[in-house]
Amino acid sequence: MRRTALLVSAALLTGLLPWATARAADDPAPVPVDRFEGEVPFAAQPAEGIFTWGGDTDDPPALELAARADAPEGAKVLGGSYDISGYGGFTHDFAATEPGHDWSAHRGIRFWWDGQDNGRKVAFEIKDGGAHGEASELWTTSFTDDFTGWKQIELPFADFTYRTDYQPVGGIDHVLGLDRMWGYAVTLPTGVKGRFAMDDVELYGKADQTLRASVSTGAAVYPVEEGGTAKVGVTVTTTGARPLDEPVTVTYTTAGGTAGPGSDYTPVSGALTFPAGTASGTSRTVRVPTLRDKAAEPAETVPLKLTVTGAKAPAETPQVVIDAHGLPYLNAGTPVKKRVADLLGRMSLAEKAGQMTQAERGALTDQGDIAGYALGSLLSGGGSTPTPNTPDAWAKMIDGFQLRAQATRFQIPLIYGVDAVHGHNNLVGATIMPHNVGLGATRDPRLAERTGAVTAAEVRATGIPWDFAPCLCVSRDERWGRSYESFGEDPALVESMETVVQGLQGRADGRDLNRGDKVLATAKHFVGDGGTEYGSSTTGTYTIDQGVTKVTRQQLEAVHLAPFASAVDRGVGTVMPSYSSLDVIGDGQGPVKMHARADMINGVLKGRMGFDGFVISDWNAIDQLPGDYAAHVRTSVNAGLDMMMVPYTYKDFTSTLVDEVRAGRISERRIDDAVSRILTQKFRLGLFEHPYADTRGAAAIGSPAHRAVAREAAAESQVLLKNSGGLLPLRKGRKVYVAGSNADDIGNQTGGWTVTWQGGSGKTTTGTTILDGMREAGGDVTYSKDASAPTGGYDAGVVVVGETPYAEGVGDVGNGHRLTLSAADQAAVDKVCAAMKCVVLIVSGRPQLIGDRLGRIDALVASWLPGTEGAGVADVLYGRRPFTGQLPVTWPRSEAQLPINVGDASYDPQYPYGWGLTTLTPVPRGGAATLRALALAATVAERTGADRAGRELVTRARLIVQHQAGDRMTAAVAKPFADADHLLLTGHYGKAVQKLTEAYRAA
């Protein structure tokens, strides 16, 4: 139908319907968005189209383009039916392959709606900025269906607000620009069956300059030393950077606040005028002089109230803050203990409660809440990143938060935390290390310390002083979705790798924490999270994560508590309790959530171990405690938690905590202890003197030097389980056929906790895949992911298989995950290994069951999750470095064996704990007599404290035994072999060789 006919139809309706809106004389002509005559198909991105969505399979509505005689425009309308229990609706996205649309010349968007008079609200969203319709900001408003028949709904753009509950990309600029629009979405009512019809979506009216022009200040807070002059920049900007159409006036006056006019500052008032034609980005300056006196004082505020005509006013009133001065806690030369005592004595209960509160940065209702609630900490959960996700954007974001904290009385800086569990893994382009299970395979504490140092340097360079790492769990069941976060199944191995704490923090006394390349570390998860029983979890669909650890007191001490005792000795700054429950056999308590176990947190950790840092809860973990919310707060604080990670409920937590103290159910002494611990670490970190990001180290993020450390770690983490005929290392001249799902996938290679919480397949960050590394090594490589390319004429095949990313309980076996290879990976292994000599690399967070194919595989490598530097894997494949890795966990024959661990009475694995063949190093010659001699020498080394010599002697014996055992692994060989590695780690070198001799005789 031609547009002239459409206009006739609209004109007719205008005459018939009293509520139809007439066009103003100076308004531009309406611009159609949807006529629903079939010009826009039912389709999804990247094409332009209309599509439905919903919370489950029943929630998306049914849509059709239906012919109706009473259609307000044309012949057809968009109609449909719905019955939504969760949420559902439909979207019109513009084509992602073409530029976004410019709606900035119009007042709003309107459409015809066939009212059902059901009294329900219908949400209408528009999509602004970003890359395309599914990666844009969502702005929302609504209308009420309280009428019958057709009605034209007008929604001025001024009525739309930014969605704070959900954003597909976490927000772009929080500004409704209107010049890069990607479509709209309609959310239909829930809980009622219904039908709807809609027609003629169009843009209408003349744009209001207040939508296209806005006034902003350079910051919301302007700290100034007493006696100085604050300079508040006032800037006018327009959408599309066009000059102002109409003048803008900004009147200003200083009024209110805690500072005294005439005594603390000189009052100012006046007006700034930006005439029509003023260029976008033009700034003026308002100066607020402060006055000096001789008194020591906390910070005082001077609000600068702005009234704007002709443009959108700033979202909040800027505040000049006269810095706190002359108070003892501000003196950097005073001992930390005295600084803490002085500051604590000045604080109110509400301010103390704020220090004990940690909020998710994306969940702040308003950034002013940082000062309003005196918040002590913010965090970025997994995937909670600034846009763009760059080092500079991180630093600017966090500096902005720190600036807000300067508006509090005592200007206590925030401590910002992230889960940098294998490098600065939230940041695209950062150096990503192997996950802890791979580091455990290196058996190289010095290398672990270096990886921690690289992580600390990259994290601190973006303004973040606190890392929720390392995980010191002892993983006892590889069905656990967090098992790759553990260094291994043996507490002695975990303890040996805790050098990473020094890499993160520096020296144990905390004197290095104020350096620009060190961060506060977190020992987690206290205690026993690696020992939860399969099937004991009650969290959603999890099968083992957050479940119950049932142990004797001796098992608790020897296995799970030991790593935390050594971490405390290393000076770790914070400790995070586990989501899981602890059931100590014989103590009469039964399973108790760790966040409620005062006997373990107050009694063991703080009391017996002497931990002097602070305890931070896990994400929303107190909500899992029994009772009402007041009970959650009371129980956890009294159990010894000092700071609560309450991402979305920071307001409820602070008010409830204050109420509980005033009611006498939490003592003020307990509050003072918690806040003292928090302030101590803030002083040690130098945050009071330097709250803002020191970005001098940002140039080293992802640098060749940092990636070299990650590459070395990736190489040392590779465990050679089988090498029949000496297939590895590969010779560069060999023609190699490469296949498998994980050969060329940086996302799979880095695993969970990479850029997002769960991680993701594909090119998620910057790095070198294993295939890239093989090519860079000079290999003659042909790649076919699914092994569909012809397999003839090759000297060897390399099949890289394994898992896709996951994190926490989402990755639990039985929760959509298995320990067996996918069908596609199995097919690739079968095809390649049937056609040529083959190497199978398993890229995974835990052992994979591959025994049924082991006979057809010539060489088998446990690659774990090697991080961004796949060249490290290629280094050992092509012999640039030797294979030296050893299993940090037992490799089972079947899932029925799980849990299976070193020290078990019954122990018959596919490969034992500690197993790991080597290359480029000749196997020492000798048999039983040689082993006896090695045992004697190792015993002498042990007695004389010659640890290096003792370890070397045990390694020689291990290589002899591995050569003797070959592929003939039996329980009689495996058990003493695994026991020997535990004895080596505990310094019992002579006994370790004796166990290896036992394994040799059984081989």
Side-chain angles (χ1 to χ4, degrees), residues 410-445:
F410 301 113
Q411 299 183 305
I412 303 173
L414 296 165
I415 179 170
Y416 199 99
V418 295
D419 287 276
V421 299
H422 63 140
H424 195 354
N425 44 253
N426 280 300
L427 172 64
V428 172
T431 307
I432 304 301
M433 303 293 172
H435 270 294
N436 284 354
V437 68
L439 291 181
T442 70
R443 296 297 201 282
D444 191 339

Short mmCIF file of all heavy atoms in Angstrom, two decimals, residues 410-445:
data_model
loop_
_atom_site.label_atom_id
_atom_site.label_comp_id
_atom_site.label_asym_id
_atom_site.label_seq_id
_atom_site.Cartn_x
_atom_site.Cartn_y
_atom_site.Cartn_z
N PHE A 410 35.30 11.08 57.02
CA PHE A 410 36.71 10.75 57.27
C PHE A 410 37.44 10.30 56.01
O PHE A 410 38.58 9.89 56.09
CB PHE A 410 36.79 9.70 58.38
CG PHE A 410 36.17 10.17 59.66
CD1 PHE A 410 35.02 9.57 60.16
CD2 PHE A 410 36.71 11.25 60.35
CE1 PHE A 410 34.43 10.03 61.33
CE2 PHE A 410 36.12 11.71 61.52
CZ PHE A 410 34.98 11.10 62.01
N GLN A 411 36.76 10.39 54.88
CA GLN A 411 37.36 10.10 53.58
C GLN A 411 38.08 8.75 53.59
O GLN A 411 39.19 8.61 53.09
CB GLN A 411 38.29 11.24 53.17
CG GLN A 411 37.55 12.57 53.02
CD GLN A 411 38.42 13.70 52.55
OE1 GLN A 411 39.45 13.99 53.17
NE2 GLN A 411 38.02 14.36 51.47
N ILE A 412 37.40 7.76 54.15
CA ILE A 412 37.97 6.41 54.19
C ILE A 412 37.85 5.81 52.79
O ILE A 412 36.75 5.71 52.24
CB ILE A 412 37.23 5.52 55.20
CG1 ILE A 412 37.28 6.16 56.60
CG2 ILE A 412 37.81 4.12 55.23
CD1 ILE A 412 36.43 5.44 57.63
N PRO A 413 38.95 5.44 52.17
CA PRO A 413 38.88 4.94 50.79
C PRO A 413 38.21 3.57 50.72
O PRO A 413 38.18 2.81 51.69
CB PRO A 413 40.35 4.85 50.37
CG PRO A 413 41.10 4.69 51.65
CD PRO A 413 40.33 5.47 52.68
N LEU A 414 37.64 3.30 49.56
CA LEU A 414 37.11 1.97 49.29
C LEU A 414 38.25 0.98 49.11
O LEU A 414 39.35 1.35 48.69
CB LEU A 414 36.29 1.98 47.99
CG LEU A 414 35.02 2.82 47.96
CD1 LEU A 414 34.58 2.99 46.51
CD2 LEU A 414 33.93 2.17 48.78
N ILE A 415 37.98 -0.29 49.37
CA ILE A 415 38.87 -1.35 48.93
C ILE A 415 38.10 -2.15 47.90
O ILE A 415 37.05 -2.73 48.19
CB ILE A 415 39.38 -2.22 50.10
CG1 ILE A 415 40.30 -3.32 49.58
CG2 ILE A 415 38.24 -2.78 50.95
CD1 ILE A 415 41.04 -4.07 50.69
N TYR A 416 38.58 -2.13 46.67
CA TYR A 416 37.88 -2.73 45.53
C TYR A 416 38.45 -4.12 45.27
O TYR A 416 39.66 -4.31 45.24
CB TYR A 416 38.06 -1.86 44.29
CG TYR A 416 37.03 -2.10 43.20
CD1 TYR A 416 35.93 -1.27 43.07
CD2 TYR A 416 37.14 -3.17 42.32
CE1 TYR A 416 34.97 -1.47 42.09
CE2 TYR A 416 36.20 -3.38 41.33
CZ TYR A 416 35.11 -2.54 41.22
OH TYR A 416 34.17 -2.76 40.25
N GLY A 417 37.55 -5.10 45.10
CA GLY A 417 37.99 -6.48 44.92
C GLY A 417 37.49 -7.13 43.65
O GLY A 417 36.42 -6.79 43.14
N VAL A 418 38.29 -8.07 43.13
CA VAL A 418 37.90 -8.87 41.97
C VAL A 418 38.39 -10.30 42.15
O VAL A 418 39.31 -10.56 42.92
CB VAL A 418 38.49 -8.33 40.65
CG1 VAL A 418 37.93 -6.97 40.31
CG2 VAL A 418 40.01 -8.31 40.70
N ASP A 419 37.75 -11.21 41.42
CA ASP A 419 38.21 -12.60 41.37
C ASP A 419 39.24 -12.74 40.25
O ASP A 419 38.91 -13.14 39.13
CB ASP A 419 37.04 -13.54 41.11
CG ASP A 419 36.13 -13.69 42.31
OD1 ASP A 419 36.44 -14.52 43.17
OD2 ASP A 419 35.12 -12.98 42.37
N ALA A 420 40.47 -12.39 40.52
CA ALA A 420 41.55 -12.59 39.56
C ALA A 420 42.20 -13.93 39.90
O ALA A 420 43.26 -13.99 40.52
CB ALA A 420 42.56 -11.45 39.61
N VAL A 421 41.56 -15.01 39.50
CA VAL A 421 41.96 -16.34 39.98
C VAL A 421 43.01 -17.01 39.11
O VAL A 421 43.62 -17.99 39.53
CB VAL A 421 40.73 -17.26 40.13
CG1 VAL A 421 39.75 -16.69 41.13
CG2 VAL A 421 40.04 -17.50 38.80
N HIS A 422 43.21 -16.50 37.90
CA HIS A 422 44.33 -17.01 37.07
C HIS A 422 44.78 -15.90 36.13
O HIS A 422 44.76 -16.03 34.92
CB HIS A 422 43.94 -18.30 36.33
CG HIS A 422 42.82 -18.17 35.34
ND1 HIS A 422 42.82 -18.81 34.12
CD2 HIS A 422 41.64 -17.50 35.38
CE1 HIS A 422 41.71 -18.53 33.46
NE2 HIS A 422 40.97 -17.75 34.21
N GLY A 423 45.26 -14.82 36.74
CA GLY A 423 45.53 -13.60 36.02
C GLY A 423 44.37 -12.63 36.23
O GLY A 423 43.39 -12.95 36.91
N HIS A 424 44.50 -11.46 35.64
CA HIS A 424 43.43 -10.45 35.75
C HIS A 424 42.32 -10.86 34.77
O HIS A 424 42.08 -10.21 33.75
CB HIS A 424 44.01 -9.08 35.39
CG HIS A 424 43.15 -7.92 35.78
ND1 HIS A 424 41.86 -8.06 36.30
CD2 HIS A 424 43.37 -6.57 35.73
CE1 HIS A 424 41.36 -6.87 36.55
NE2 HIS A 424 42.25 -5.94 36.20
N ASN A 425 41.63 -11.95 35.12
CA ASN A 425 40.81 -12.66 34.14
C ASN A 425 39.52 -11.95 33.74
O ASN A 425 38.88 -12.37 32.79
CB ASN A 425 40.49 -14.06 34.65
CG ASN A 425 40.08 -14.13 36.10
OD1 ASN A 425 40.85 -14.59 36.92
ND2 ASN A 425 38.88 -13.68 36.44
N ASN A 426 39.14 -10.89 34.43
CA ASN A 426 37.98 -10.11 33.99
C ASN A 426 38.32 -9.15 32.85
O ASN A 426 37.42 -8.62 32.20
CB ASN A 426 37.40 -9.30 35.16
CG ASN A 426 36.53 -10.13 36.08
OD1 ASN A 426 35.53 -10.68 35.65
ND2 ASN A 426 36.92 -10.22 37.33
N LEU A 427 39.60 -8.90 32.65
CA LEU A 427 40.06 -7.88 31.70
C LEU A 427 40.46 -8.51 30.38
O LEU A 427 41.35 -9.37 30.33
CB LEU A 427 41.26 -7.13 32.30
CG LEU A 427 41.99 -6.16 31.39
CD1 LEU A 427 41.08 -5.01 30.96
CD2 LEU A 427 43.24 -5.62 32.08
N VAL A 428 39.83 -8.08 29.30
CA VAL A 428 40.21 -8.55 27.97
C VAL A 428 41.63 -8.07 27.67
O VAL A 428 41.95 -6.90 27.86
CB VAL A 428 39.23 -8.03 26.91
CG1 VAL A 428 39.74 -8.34 25.51
CG2 VAL A 428 37.85 -8.64 27.11
N GLY A 429 42.47 -9.00 27.21
CA GLY A 429 43.85 -8.65 26.87
C GLY A 429 44.84 -8.87 28.00
O GLY A 429 46.04 -8.71 27.79
N ALA A 430 44.35 -9.24 29.19
CA ALA A 430 45.26 -9.52 30.30
C ALA A 430 45.97 -10.85 30.07
O ALA A 430 45.57 -11.67 29.24
CB ALA A 430 44.49 -9.56 31.62
N THR A 431 47.04 -11.06 30.82
CA THR A 431 47.77 -12.33 30.77
C THR A 431 47.02 -13.35 31.60
O THR A 431 46.84 -13.17 32.82
CB THR A 431 49.19 -12.15 31.34
OG1 THR A 431 49.83 -11.06 30.66
CG2 THR A 431 50.00 -13.42 31.16
N ILE A 432 46.55 -14.42 30.97
CA ILE A 432 45.79 -15.44 31.68
C ILE A 432 46.68 -16.67 31.91
O ILE A 432 47.18 -17.27 30.97
CB ILE A 432 44.53 -15.85 30.89
CG1 ILE A 432 43.67 -14.62 30.61
CG2 ILE A 432 43.73 -16.89 31.67
CD1 ILE A 432 43.20 -13.87 31.82
N MET A 433 46.86 -16.98 33.18
CA MET A 433 47.70 -18.11 33.60
C MET A 433 46.92 -19.42 33.52
O MET A 433 45.69 -19.42 33.42
CB MET A 433 48.15 -17.89 35.05
CG MET A 433 48.90 -16.60 35.29
SD MET A 433 50.49 -16.62 34.45
CE MET A 433 51.00 -14.91 34.70
N PRO A 434 47.63 -20.55 33.58
CA PRO A 434 46.91 -21.81 33.79
C PRO A 434 46.11 -21.74 35.08
O PRO A 434 46.51 -21.07 36.04
CB PRO A 434 48.03 -22.85 33.90
CG PRO A 434 49.21 -22.23 33.22
CD PRO A 434 49.09 -20.75 33.48
N HIS A 435 44.97 -22.40 35.09
CA HIS A 435 44.22 -22.51 36.34
C HIS A 435 45.05 -23.28 37.37
O HIS A 435 46.03 -23.96 37.03
CB HIS A 435 42.88 -23.18 36.11
CG HIS A 435 41.78 -22.21 35.79
ND1 HIS A 435 41.32 -21.28 36.70
CD2 HIS A 435 41.04 -22.03 34.66
CE1 HIS A 435 40.35 -20.57 36.15
NE2 HIS A 435 40.16 -20.99 34.91
N ASN A 436 44.65 -23.19 38.63
CA ASN A 436 45.46 -23.74 39.72
C ASN A 436 45.80 -25.21 39.55
O ASN A 436 46.87 -25.65 39.94
CB ASN A 436 44.77 -23.51 41.06
CG ASN A 436 44.88 -22.08 41.54
OD1 ASN A 436 45.58 -21.27 40.94
ND2 ASN A 436 44.19 -21.76 42.62
N VAL A 437 44.89 -26.00 38.99
CA VAL A 437 45.19 -27.43 38.83
C VAL A 437 46.41 -27.60 37.94
O VAL A 437 47.23 -28.51 38.15
CB VAL A 437 43.96 -28.19 38.28
CG1 VAL A 437 43.63 -27.79 36.84
CG2 VAL A 437 44.15 -29.69 38.40
N GLY A 438 46.57 -26.73 36.94
CA GLY A 438 47.75 -26.78 36.09
C GLY A 438 48.99 -26.33 36.83
O GLY A 438 50.07 -26.90 36.66
N LEU A 439 48.86 -25.29 37.65
CA LEU A 439 50.00 -24.85 38.44
C LEU A 439 50.44 -25.94 39.41
O LEU A 439 51.63 -26.14 39.65
CB LEU A 439 49.67 -23.57 39.20
CG LEU A 439 49.48 -22.31 38.36
CD1 LEU A 439 49.17 -21.11 39.26
CD2 LEU A 439 50.70 -22.02 37.49
N GLY A 440 49.46 -26.66 39.98
CA GLY A 440 49.81 -27.79 40.85
C GLY A 440 50.60 -28.84 40.11
O GLY A 440 51.49 -29.50 40.68
N ALA A 441 50.29 -29.02 38.83
CA ALA A 441 51.01 -30.02 38.02
C ALA A 441 52.46 -29.61 37.79
O ALA A 441 53.31 -30.47 37.55
CB ALA A 441 50.30 -30.21 36.68
N THR A 442 52.77 -28.31 37.87
CA THR A 442 54.16 -27.89 37.65
C THR A 442 55.07 -28.31 38.79
O THR A 442 56.28 -28.45 38.58
CB THR A 442 54.26 -26.36 37.51
OG1 THR A 442 54.01 -25.73 38.77
CG2 THR A 442 53.30 -25.84 36.45
N ARG A 443 54.53 -28.48 39.98
CA ARG A 443 55.33 -28.75 41.18
C ARG A 443 56.44 -27.71 41.34
O ARG A 443 57.53 -28.02 41.83
CB ARG A 443 55.96 -30.15 41.12
CG ARG A 443 55.00 -31.33 41.11
CD ARG A 443 54.17 -31.40 42.40
NE ARG A 443 53.63 -32.72 42.64
CZ ARG A 443 52.58 -33.24 42.05
NH1 ARG A 443 51.94 -32.52 41.14
NH2 ARG A 443 52.14 -34.46 42.34
N ASP A 444 56.16 -26.48 40.95
CA ASP A 444 57.19 -25.44 40.91
C ASP A 444 56.73 -24.23 41.72
O ASP A 444 56.14 -23.30 41.19
CB ASP A 444 57.46 -25.04 39.45
CG ASP A 444 58.69 -24.16 39.29
OD1 ASP A 444 59.10 -23.53 40.29
OD2 ASP A 444 59.21 -24.08 38.16
N PRO A 445 57.03 -24.22 43.03
CA PRO A 445 56.58 -23.11 43.88
C PRO A 445 57.12 -21.75 43.44
O PRO A 445 56.44 -20.74 43.56
CB PRO A 445 57.10 -23.49 45.26
CG PRO A 445 57.22 -24.99 45.22
CD PRO A 445 57.66 -25.29 43.82
#
